[in-house]
Coordinates of all heavy atoms in Angstrom, one line a residue:
M1 N -3.5 29.3 16.9 CA -4.0 28.0 17.6 C -2.9 26.9 17.5 O -2.5 26.6 16.4 CB -5.3 27.6 17.0 CG -6.2 26.8 17.9 SD -7.8 26.4 17.2 CE -8.8 27.6 18.0
P2 N -2.6 26.3 18.6 CA -1.5 25.2 18.4 C -2.1 24.0 17.8 O -3.4 23.8 17.7 CB -1.2 24.9 19.9 CG -2.2 25.6 20.8 CD -2.9 26.6 19.9
K3 N -1.3 23.2 17.2 CA -1.7 22.0 16.5 C -1.4 20.8 17.3 O -0.4 20.7 18.0 CB -1.1 22.0 15.1 CG -1.6 23.1 14.2 CD -1.2 22.9 12.9 CE -1.8 24.1 12.1 NZ -2.0 23.8 10.6
G4 N -2.2 19.8 17.2 CA -2.0 18.5 17.8 C -1.0 17.7 17.0 O -0.4 18.1 16.0
P5 N -0.8 16.4 17.5 CA 0.3 15.6 16.8 C -0.1 15.2 15.4 O 0.8 15.0 14.6 CB 0.3 14.3 17.6 CG -1.0 14.4 18.5 CD -1.4 15.8 18.6
R6 N -1.3 15.3 15.0 CA -1.7 15.0 13.6 C -2.0 16.3 12.8 O -2.7 16.1 11.8 CB -2.8 14.0 13.6 CG -2.5 12.6 14.1 CD -3.5 11.6 13.9 NE -3.3 10.5 14.7 CZ -3.7 10.3 15.9 NH1 -4.5 11.2 16.5 NH2 -3.4 9.2 16.6
G7 N -1.8 17.4 13.4 CA -2.0 18.7 12.7 C -3.4 19.2 12.9 O -3.8 20.2 12.4
E8 N -4.2 18.6 13.8 CA -5.5 19.1 14.1 C -5.4 20.3 15.1 O -4.4 20.5 15.8 CB -6.4 18.0 14.8 CG -5.9 17.5 16.1 CD -5.0 16.4 16.1 OE1 -4.6 16.0 15.0 OE2 -4.6 16.0 17.1
K9 N -6.3 21.3 15.0 CA -6.3 22.5 15.7 C -6.9 22.2 17.1 O -7.9 21.7 17.3 CB -7.1 23.5 15.0 CG -6.5 23.9 13.7 CD -7.2 25.0 13.0 CE -6.5 25.4 11.7 NZ -7.2 26.4 11.0
R10 N -6.1 22.6 18.1 CA -6.6 22.4 19.5 C -6.5 23.8 20.2 O -5.5 24.6 19.9 CB -5.6 21.5 20.2 CG -5.6 20.1 19.7 CD -6.9 19.3 20.0 NE -6.8 18.0 19.5 CZ -7.8 17.1 19.4 NH1 -9.0 17.6 19.8 NH2 -7.7 15.9 19.0
P11 N -7.3 24.1 21.1 CA -7.3 25.4 21.8 C -6.0 25.4 22.8 O -5.6 24.4 23.4 CB -8.6 25.5 22.6 CG -9.1 24.2 22.7 CD -8.6 23.3 21.5
A12 N -5.5 26.6 23.0 CA -4.3 26.8 23.8 C -4.6 26.9 25.3 O -3.9 26.6 26.1 CB -3.5 27.9 23.3
D13 N -5.8 27.5 25.6 CA -6.1 27.8 27.0 C -6.9 26.6 27.6 O -7.5 25.8 26.9 CB -6.9 29.1 27.1 CG -8.3 29.0 26.3 OD1 -8.3 28.2 25.4 OD2 -9.2 29.7 26.7
V14 N -6.8 26.6 28.9 CA -7.4 25.4 29.7 C -8.9 25.4 29.5 O -9.5 24.4 29.3 CB -7.0 25.6 31.2 CG1 -7.7 24.5 32.0 CG2 -5.5 25.5 31.4
I15 N -9.6 26.5 29.6 CA -11.1 26.6 29.5 C -11.5 26.1 28.1 O -12.4 25.3 27.9 CB -11.6 28.0 29.8 CG1 -11.3 28.2 31.3 CG2 -13.1 28.0 29.5 CD1 -11.7 29.6 31.7
G16 N -10.8 26.6 27.0 CA -11.2 26.3 25.7 C -10.9 24.7 25.5 O -11.7 24.1 24.7
C17 N -9.9 24.2 26.1 CA -9.6 22.7 26.0 C -10.7 21.9 26.7 O -11.1 20.9 26.1 CB -8.3 22.5 26.6 SG -7.7 20.7 26.3
A18 N -11.2 22.4 27.8 CA -12.2 21.7 28.5 C -13.5 21.7 27.7 O -14.2 20.7 27.7 CB -12.4 22.4 29.9
V19 N -13.8 22.8 27.1 CA -15.1 22.9 26.3 C -14.9 22.0 25.1 O -15.9 21.3 24.8 CB -15.3 24.4 25.8 CG1 -16.4 24.4 24.8 CG2 -15.6 25.3 27.0
M20 N -13.8 21.9 24.5 CA -13.6 21.0 23.3 C -13.7 19.5 23.8 O -14.4 18.7 23.1 CB -12.3 21.2 22.7 CG -12.0 20.3 21.5 SD -10.5 20.7 20.6 CE -11.2 21.5 19.2
I21 N -13.2 19.2 25.0 CA -13.4 17.8 25.4 C -14.8 17.5 25.6 O -15.3 16.4 25.4 CB -12.5 17.7 26.8 CG1 -11.0 17.6 26.4 CG2 -12.9 16.3 27.4 CD1 -10.1 17.7 27.6
G22 N -15.5 18.4 26.2 CA -17.0 18.3 26.5 C -17.7 18.0 25.1 O -18.6 17.2 25.0
R23 N -17.4 18.8 24.2 CA -18.0 18.6 22.8 C -17.7 17.3 22.2 O -18.5 16.7 21.5 CB -17.6 19.8 21.9 CG -18.2 21.1 22.3 CD -17.8 22.2 21.3 NE -18.5 23.5 21.7 CZ -18.1 24.6 21.3 NH1 -17.1 24.8 20.4 NH2 -18.8 25.7 21.7
I24 N -16.4 16.9 22.3 CA -16.0 15.6 21.8 C -16.8 14.4 22.5 O -17.3 13.5 21.9 CB -14.5 15.4 21.9 CG1 -13.8 16.3 20.9 CG2 -14.1 13.9 21.6 CD1 -12.2 16.3 21.1
A25 N -17.0 14.6 23.9 CA -17.6 13.5 24.7 C -19.0 13.4 24.3 O -19.6 12.3 24.3 CB -17.4 13.9 26.2
T26 N -19.7 14.5 24.0 CA -21.2 14.5 23.7 C -21.4 14.2 22.2 O -22.5 14.0 21.8 CB -21.8 15.9 23.9 OG1 -21.2 16.9 23.2 CG2 -21.7 16.1 25.5
G27 N -20.3 14.1 21.4 CA -20.5 13.8 20.0 C -20.8 15.0 19.1 O -21.1 14.8 18.0
E28 N -20.7 16.2 19.7 CA -20.9 17.4 18.9 C -19.9 17.6 17.7 O -20.3 18.0 16.6 CB -21.0 18.6 19.8 CG -21.4 19.9 19.2 CD -21.6 21.0 20.2 OE1 -21.8 20.7 21.4 OE2 -21.4 22.2 19.8
I29 N -18.7 17.3 18.0 CA -17.6 17.4 17.1 C -16.9 16.0 17.1 O -16.8 15.4 18.1 CB -16.6 18.5 17.3 CG1 -15.9 18.5 18.7 CG2 -17.4 19.8 17.1 CD1 -14.9 19.5 18.9
P30 N -16.3 15.6 16.0 CA -15.6 14.3 15.9 C -14.3 14.5 16.6 O -13.7 15.6 16.7 CB -15.4 14.0 14.4 CG -15.6 15.4 13.7 CD -16.5 16.3 14.6
D31 N -13.8 13.4 17.2 CA -12.5 13.4 17.9 C -11.3 13.7 17.0 O -10.7 14.6 17.1 CB -12.3 12.1 18.7 CG -11.1 12.1 19.5 OD1 -10.5 13.2 19.8 OD2 -10.7 11.0 20.0
N32 N -11.1 12.7 16.1 CA -10.0 12.9 15.1 C -10.5 12.6 13.7 O -10.5 11.4 13.3 CB -8.9 12.0 15.4 CG -8.0 12.4 16.6 OD1 -7.8 13.6 16.8 ND2 -7.5 11.5 17.3
P33 N -11.1 13.6 13.1 CA -11.6 13.4 11.7 C -10.5 12.9 10.8 O -9.3 13.3 10.8 CB -12.1 14.7 11.3 CG -11.4 15.6 12.1 CD -11.1 15.0 13.4
K34 N -10.8 11.9 9.9 CA -9.9 11.3 9.0 C -9.6 12.4 7.8 O -10.4 13.1 7.4 CB -10.3 10.0 8.4 CG -10.4 9.0 9.3 CD -10.7 7.6 8.7 CE -10.6 6.5 9.7 NZ -10.8 5.2 9.1
S35 N -8.3 12.4 7.5 CA -8.0 13.3 6.3 C -8.2 12.7 5.0 O -8.4 11.5 4.9 CB -6.5 13.7 6.5 OG -5.7 12.7 6.2
N36 N -8.3 13.5 4.0 CA -8.5 13.0 2.6 C -7.2 12.4 2.0 O -7.3 11.9 0.9 CB -9.1 14.1 1.8 CG -10.5 14.4 2.2 OD1 -11.2 13.6 2.7 ND2 -10.9 15.7 2.0
R37 N -6.1 12.5 2.8 CA -4.9 12.0 2.2 C -4.9 10.5 2.1 O -4.3 10.0 1.2 CB -3.7 12.5 3.1 CG -3.5 13.9 3.0 CD -2.2 14.3 3.8 NE -2.5 14.1 5.2 CZ -1.6 14.3 6.2 NH1 -0.4 14.6 5.9 NH2 -2.0 14.1 7.5
I38 N -5.7 9.8 2.9 CA -5.8 8.3 2.8 C -6.4 7.9 1.5 O -5.9 7.1 0.8 CB -6.6 7.8 4.0 CG1 -5.8 8.0 5.3 CG2 -6.8 6.4 3.8 CD1 -6.6 7.7 6.5
N39 N -7.5 8.6 1.2 CA -8.2 8.3 -0.1 C -7.4 8.6 -1.3 O -7.4 7.9 -2.3 CB -9.6 9.0 -0.1 CG -10.6 8.5 0.9 OD1 -10.4 7.4 1.3 ND2 -11.4 9.4 1.3
S40 N -6.7 9.8 -1.2 CA -5.9 10.1 -2.4 C -4.7 9.2 -2.6 O -4.3 8.9 -3.7 CB -5.4 11.6 -2.3 OG -4.5 11.7 -1.2
G41 N -4.1 8.7 -1.5 CA -3.1 7.8 -1.5 C -3.5 6.4 -2.2 O -2.8 5.8 -3.0
R42 N -4.7 6.0 -1.8 CA -5.2 4.7 -2.4 C -5.5 4.9 -3.9 O -5.3 4.0 -4.7 CB -6.5 4.3 -1.6 CG -6.2 3.8 -0.2 CD -7.5 3.4 0.4 NE -7.2 2.9 1.8 CZ -8.1 3.1 2.8 NH1 -9.3 3.5 2.5 NH2 -7.7 2.6 4.0
A43 N -6.1 6.0 -4.2 CA -6.3 6.3 -5.6 C -5.1 6.4 -6.4 O -4.9 5.8 -7.6 CB -7.2 7.7 -5.8
G44 N -4.0 7.0 -5.9 CA -2.7 7.0 -6.6 C -2.0 5.7 -6.7 O -1.5 5.4 -7.8
A45 N -2.2 4.8 -5.7 CA -1.7 3.5 -5.8 C -2.4 2.7 -6.8 O -1.7 1.9 -7.6 CB -1.8 2.8 -4.4
A46 N -3.7 2.8 -6.9 CA -4.5 2.1 -7.9 C -4.1 2.5 -9.3 O -4.0 1.8 -10.3 CB -6.0 2.3 -7.7
A47 N -3.9 3.8 -9.6 CA -3.5 4.4 -10.9 C -2.1 3.9 -11.3 O -1.9 3.6 -12.4 CB -3.6 5.9 -10.8
R48 N -1.2 3.9 -10.2 CA 0.2 3.4 -10.6 C 0.2 2.0 -10.9 O 0.8 1.6 -11.9 CB 1.0 3.7 -9.3 CG 2.5 3.2 -9.6 CD 3.4 3.5 -8.5 NE 4.7 3.1 -8.8 CZ 5.6 2.5 -8.0 NH1 5.2 2.2 -6.8 NH2 6.8 2.2 -8.3
S49 N -0.6 1.1 -10.2 CA -0.6 -0.3 -10.5 C -1.3 -0.7 -11.8 O -0.8 -1.6 -12.5 CB -1.2 -1.1 -9.4 OG -2.6 -0.8 -9.3
S50 N -2.2 0.2 -12.3 CA -2.8 -0.1 -13.5 C -1.9 0.3 -14.7 O -2.1 -0.2 -15.8 CB -4.1 0.7 -13.7 OG -3.9 2.1 -13.7
N51 N -0.9 1.2 -14.5 CA 0.0 1.5 -15.5 C 1.3 0.7 -15.6 O 2.0 0.8 -16.5 CB 0.4 3.0 -15.4 CG -0.7 3.9 -15.6 OD1 -1.6 3.6 -16.5 ND2 -0.7 5.1 -15.0
L52 N 1.5 -0.2 -14.6 CA 2.7 -1.0 -14.6 C 2.4 -2.4 -15.3 O 1.3 -3.0 -15.2 CB 3.1 -1.3 -13.2 CG 3.7 -0.1 -12.3 CD1 3.9 -0.5 -10.9 CD2 4.9 0.4 -13.0
T53 N 3.4 -3.0 -15.9 CA 3.3 -4.3 -16.4 C 3.5 -5.3 -15.3 O 4.0 -5.0 -14.2 CB 4.4 -4.5 -17.5 OG1 5.7 -4.4 -16.9 CG2 4.3 -3.5 -18.6
S54 N 3.2 -6.5 -15.6 CA 3.3 -7.6 -14.5 C 4.8 -7.8 -14.2 O 5.2 -8.0 -13.0 CB 2.7 -8.9 -14.9 OG 3.4 -9.4 -16.1
E55 N 5.7 -7.6 -15.1 CA 7.1 -7.7 -14.9 C 7.7 -6.6 -14.0 O 8.4 -6.8 -13.1 CB 7.9 -7.7 -16.2 CG 9.4 -7.9 -16.1 CD 9.7 -9.3 -15.4 OE1 9.0 -10.3 -15.7 OE2 10.7 -9.4 -14.7
Q56 N 7.1 -5.4 -14.3 CA 7.5 -4.3 -13.4 C 7.0 -4.5 -11.9 O 7.8 -4.2 -11.0 CB 7.0 -2.9 -14.0 CG 7.7 -2.5 -15.3 CD 7.0 -1.3 -15.9 OE1 5.8 -1.2 -15.8 NE2 7.8 -0.5 -16.5
R57 N 5.8 -4.9 -11.8 CA 5.3 -5.2 -10.5 C 6.1 -6.2 -9.8 O 6.3 -6.1 -8.6 CB 3.8 -5.6 -10.5 CG 2.8 -4.4 -10.9 CD 1.4 -4.8 -10.6 NE 1.0 -5.9 -11.3 CZ 0.5 -5.9 -12.6 NH1 0.3 -4.6 -13.2 NH2 0.0 -6.9 -13.3
R58 N 6.4 -7.3 -10.5 CA 7.3 -8.4 -9.9 C 8.6 -7.8 -9.4 O 9.0 -8.2 -8.3 CB 7.5 -9.5 -10.9 CG 8.2 -10.6 -10.4 CD 8.4 -11.7 -11.4 NE 9.3 -12.7 -10.9 CZ 9.5 -13.9 -11.4 NH1 8.8 -14.1 -12.5 NH2 10.3 -14.6 -10.9
T59 N 9.3 -7.0 -10.2 CA 10.5 -6.4 -9.8 C 10.4 -5.6 -8.6 O 11.3 -5.7 -7.7 CB 11.1 -5.6 -11.0 OG1 11.2 -6.4 -12.2 CG2 12.5 -5.0 -10.6
I60 N 9.4 -4.7 -8.5 CA 9.1 -3.9 -7.4 C 8.9 -4.8 -6.1 O 9.4 -4.4 -5.1 CB 8.0 -2.9 -7.6 CG1 8.4 -1.9 -8.6 CG2 7.5 -2.2 -6.3 CD1 7.2 -1.0 -9.2
A61 N 8.1 -5.8 -6.2 CA 7.8 -6.7 -5.1 C 9.0 -7.4 -4.6 O 9.2 -7.6 -3.4 CB 6.7 -7.7 -5.6
Q62 N 9.9 -7.8 -5.5 CA 11.1 -8.6 -5.1 C 12.0 -7.7 -4.4 O 12.7 -8.0 -3.4 CB 11.8 -9.1 -6.3 CG 11.1 -10.4 -6.9 CD 11.8 -10.9 -8.2 OE1 12.5 -10.2 -8.8 NE2 11.5 -12.1 -8.5
K63 N 12.1 -6.4 -4.8 CA 12.9 -5.4 -4.2 C 12.4 -5.1 -2.9 O 13.1 -5.0 -1.9 CB 12.9 -4.1 -5.0 CG 13.9 -3.1 -4.4 CD 14.0 -1.9 -5.4 CE 14.8 -0.8 -4.8 NZ 14.8 0.4 -5.6
A64 N 11.1 -5.0 -2.7 CA 10.5 -4.7 -1.4 C 10.7 -5.9 -0.4 O 11.1 -5.7 0.8 CB 9.0 -4.4 -1.5
A65 N 10.6 -7.2 -0.9 CA 10.8 -8.3 0.0 C 12.3 -8.4 0.3 O 12.5 -8.8 1.5 CB 10.4 -9.6 -0.8
G66 N 13.2 -8.1 -0.6 CA 14.6 -8.0 -0.3 C 14.9 -7.1 0.9 O 15.7 -7.3 1.8
S67 N 14.3 -5.9 0.8 CA 14.5 -4.9 1.8 C 13.9 -5.3 3.1 O 14.4 -5.1 4.2 CB 13.9 -3.6 1.4 OG 14.5 -3.1 0.2
R68 N 12.8 -5.9 3.1 CA 12.0 -6.3 4.3 C 12.7 -7.5 5.0 O 12.9 -7.4 6.2 CB 10.6 -6.7 3.9 CG 9.7 -6.9 5.1 CD 8.3 -7.2 4.6 NE 7.8 -6.3 3.7 CZ 7.4 -6.6 2.5 NH1 7.4 -7.8 2.1 NH2 6.9 -5.7 1.6
W69 N 13.1 -8.4 4.3 CA 13.6 -9.7 5.0 C 15.1 -9.8 4.8 O 15.8 -10.8 5.5 CB 13.0 -10.9 4.3 CG 11.5 -10.9 4.5 CD1 10.6 -10.7 3.5 CD2 10.8 -11.2 5.7 NE1 9.4 -10.8 4.0 CE2 9.4 -11.0 5.4 CE3 11.1 -11.4 6.9 CZ2 8.4 -11.2 6.3 CZ3 10.1 -11.7 7.9 CH2 8.8 -11.5 7.6
G70 N 15.8 -9.0 4.1 CA 17.2 -9.1 4.0 C 17.6 -10.1 2.9 O 16.9 -11.0 2.7
K71 N 18.6 -9.9 2.2 CA 19.0 -10.8 1.1 C 20.0 -11.8 1.7 O 21.0 -11.5 2.3 CB 19.7 -10.0 0.0 CG 18.8 -9.0 -0.6 CD 19.4 -8.2 -1.7 CE 18.5 -7.1 -2.3 NZ 19.1 -6.3 -3.2
E72 N 19.8 -13.1 1.3 CA 20.6 -14.1 1.7 C 21.7 -14.3 0.6 O 21.3 -14.4 -0.5 CB 19.8 -15.5 1.9 CG 18.9 -15.4 3.1 CD 18.3 -16.8 3.3 OE1 18.7 -17.7 2.6 OE2 17.3 -16.8 4.0
E73 N 22.9 -14.3 1.0 CA 23.9 -14.4 0.0 C 24.7 -15.7 0.2 O 24.8 -16.3 1.2 CB 24.9 -13.2 0.1 CG 24.2 -11.9 -0.2 CD 25.0 -10.7 -0.2 OE1 26.3 -10.9 -0.3 OE2 24.6 -9.7 0.1

């Protein structure tokens, strides 16, 4: 089965695709279900920030701001 742009499984034939569109339109199946990667990423970020000192967080933030806005010399 071919995969869509976000890795979701989509039918390859026209009839199967039409049936899936009908099921999505009636709410029988969700259109694009969210993956669990979002939640695990947030949990990992929270765990990382709890282990960093304020000085380390400040250094990381300054480096990010420098990359984002460019450094004035």
